[in-house]
Amino acid sequence: MTQETGAAQKRYLIAVHGAFRARFTPLMDQFRDWLAQSGSPLRGRLDFIRTGETTRPDFAGDGAILFFLADPLKTLYPDCYAEARDWRDAARAAGWRILNDPDALDNTAKARQSMLWRAAGVPHPQTICADDPETLAQSAGALRFPMIIRASNSHAQDTMRLCEDRAALARAAAETPFPAIASEIADIRAEWRRADPSALLARYHHKKRVMVFGDIVMPHHLFLSEHVIVGGRTCTLNAEHGPRAALKRLATFNRRRFDESVKADLDYAFGPAEAPAIMRRAMDALGLDVAAIDYATRPDGAIILWEANPFFALPPEPLYPLPRVRRLRFRMGRIFVALAQAILNAGAAQPEDQRSDQLDAERFK
């Protein structure tokens, strides 16, 4: 561990939800377990505090605190927000650095996120917001079909509805929790088909995910799909996962989808970050420091952002499709190295910390 001279070591905290206080992601349990086995300078200097379980921490000395709490925080989990706000105020008064301010964790409600991004010039689909079915059905008429309807306060894709026409829009408006948004679908596959019909992205819809941890912008995964709503359930990697899919490849000698899906994902994950300045602008507009951003790339290299998720999940390796061939253990390690470095950077860690953490990533190849 790097020793800080001339002063006490800086301290680091991560605020998480107490048991059953919000929707669950195992990420911070995974991060804690990784940290215990790592050579990171953060090891032994990071503590977790839990809403509903922890009294106000002591913010003596120098340090940084990351609020890893479900969003939109104030809207969905007001009790946790109240505690987090109190901790934030105490930390700020002591001169600590705040990562993912609790107030910023309400900016990812879909309606507010869209407004903030468009005001900041972040490329994002045309979106309207509504508080009731009648307003949604009427206002969405100004958009082009197809469009997506979803609850503004939802996460993942659990309330997302694809609407091809006005009849589908009326049904979605009647069934969607409010407040809600309607967003035009930017058909990036169609753009690729016009520009380069032979390109991989002309045959599939796609979604890219990048992790933004402070100044660190790290590609995470690339999903391809036949469906316009691209996710883990609809992607080609999931279709190629499991023994049945492997046997089918052997029987038919049809490996094209498998090979191209894995190669595209690996090339993206281990390639350079795309448009890092836009990613940072998107984070600044939301007031966030740590989040995953989903986006797509147009044929001319421009990007369009779908959403930011500050309460992202990294499912355990066996639950990810094709974990071995995609080198997911190493990729998980890279993400934890980057997250640890961002937390250290927030506390103005010494340069030696970064070199140590980078070396530690070699354990995850």
Side-chain angles (χ1 to χ4, degrees), residues 82-297:
E83 288 182 81
R85 181 187 59 193
D86 177 62
W87 297 343
R88 185 269 320 273
D89 291 347
R92 181 175 290 161
W96 279 41
R97 172 74 188 279
I98 312 299
L99 299 178
N100 283 10
D101 189 298
D103 285 327
L105 294 177
D106 242 42
N107 289 339
T108 49
K110 302 302 179 286
R112 181 160 179 77
Q113 174 182 262
S114 179
M115 178 190 72
L116 292 170
W117 273 357
R118 296 192 73 81
V122 174
H124 183 62
Q126 184 67 36
T127 299
I128 64 96
C129 313
D131 292 323
D132 57 76
E134 293 75 18
T135 303
L136 179 66
Q138 181 178 7
S139 300
L143 304 180
R144 293 173 299 178
F145 289 100
M147 67 181 68
I148 289 174
I149 307 296
R150 67 186 305 184
S152 180
N153 296 331
S154 65
H155 65 283
Q157 297 177 353
D158 54 0
T159 65
M160 192 176 291
R161 298 281 298 273
L162 175 64
C163 300
E164 302 276 2
D165 51 35
R166 290 190 177 278
L169 172 60
R171 289 193 298 270
E175 298 170 0
T176 300
F178 283 83
I181 64 168
S183 299
E184 288 184 352
I185 290 179
D187 192 341
I188 306 302
R189 184 178 67 171
E191 295 180 16
W192 277 92
R193 286 178 171 177
R194 290 191 294 269
D196 183 3
S198 65
L200 179 65
L201 298 185
R203 291 192 286 112
Y204 296 104
H205 299 284
H206 77 280
K207 183 196 77 170
K208 297 178 177 179
R209 170 163 287 194
V210 66
M211 316 304 292
V212 185
F213 302 148
D215 291 332
I216 300 169
V217 181
M218 175 182 289
H220 182 216
H221 67 238
L222 166 59
F223 285 167
L224 306 173
S225 178
E226 298 283 359
H227 197 277
V228 68
I229 299 178
V230 185
R233 290 188 295 269
T234 66
C235 73
T236 55
L237 291 166
N238 190 56
E240 291 294 335
H241 183 63
R244 181 174 296 180
L247 288 173
K248 187 176 180 181
R249 288 194 298 272
L250 291 174
T252 64
F253 301 98
N254 179 16
R255 292 182 57 92
R256 181 183 181 185
R257 185 174 68 177
F258 172 85
D259 290 339
E260 64 191 8
S261 299
V262 170
K263 182 179 186 304
D265 177 59
L266 289 172
D267 287 349
Y268 173 72
F270 293 102
E274 296 180 321
I278 294 178
M279 299 303 177
R280 293 191 183 100
R281 189 196 315 163
M283 295 285 283
D284 289 344
L286 300 176
L288 294 175
D289 305 280
V290 172
I293 296 179
D294 294 336
Y295 72 102
T297 303

